Amino acid sequence: FIAKVAKHDLELGGCQIRSNEAVLLVLASANRDETVFDRPDTFLLDRDGPRHLSFGRGHHACIGAPLVDLELSVALEMLLDHFTDLHFASDEPDWQSRMGHRWLARLPVTCARVT
C-alpha cells in the first residue's frame, strides 16, 4: 500500500474523503478490479482488455519491466518448446500473504516432455 494525504475534499467511489485525511492506496487490488477486468482472479495468458498495472505507469513505471517481459518470454518459449500437455496440478495456486500484497509461492503443473 501507499499512504497519501488528501489535498482537498473529494468523493471517490461513493466515499467522502476530507482534506488532510489519510488515504491508503492498496496496490494489490489494482489488477483485481472486477469493474475493469473480466474474471480478475483467473490467470489468463490470452486476456484481452486493459493492460495490467503490475509495473506501474508513467513516471512511476518500473525501470526493470522490459527485462521482466524478456525473461518471461524466453522462459515460456523454452517451456512450451520442451513440454506439452501442460495443466495446473491444483485448482487453487499456493499464495503467500504479504502486507498489502499476495505473492505466488508455488504453482504446480503437470506436463509431458517432448521427445
Side-chain angles (χ1 to χ4, degrees):
F1 60 87
I2 296 175
K4 296 288 184 180
V5 175
K7 290 185 177 183
H8 52 82
D9 292 351
L10 68 126
E11 181 181 332
L12 183 63
C15 180
Q16 293 293 325
I17 300 171
R18 302 282 179 231
S19 179
N20 295 318
E21 280 187 334
V23 179
L24 289 178
L25 307 173
V26 182
L27 301 175
S29 67
N31 290 324
R32 301 177 70 200
D33 184 344
E34 64 276 353
T35 65
V36 176
F37 298 98
D38 181 41
R39 296 185 297 158
D41 290 330
T42 303
F43 179 65
L44 301 170
L45 284 173
D46 59 349
R47 183 183 301 278
D48 288 330
R51 288 184 51 208
H52 64 83
L53 303 171
S54 298
F55 295 107
R57 291 285 182 275
H59 66 278
H60 292 289
C62 174
I63 194 170
L67 178 59
V68 172
D69 285 345
L70 177 62
E71 289 175 332
L72 183 58
S73 295
V74 170
L76 287 175
E77 184 177 324
M78 292 183 72
L79 180 70
L80 296 174
D81 282 350
H82 290 87
F83 297 94
T84 63
D85 201 27
L86 288 162
H87 296 281
F88 294 124
S90 170
D91 289 338
E92 183 61 33
D94 184 8
W95 294 105
Q96 180 178 357
S97 294
R98 300 277 178 128
M99 174 89 68
H101 292 278
R102 66 179 191 158
W103 291 10
L104 190 60
R106 292 179 347 113
L107 184 62
V109 296
T110 61
C111 61
R113 181 153 176 80
V114 174
T115 55

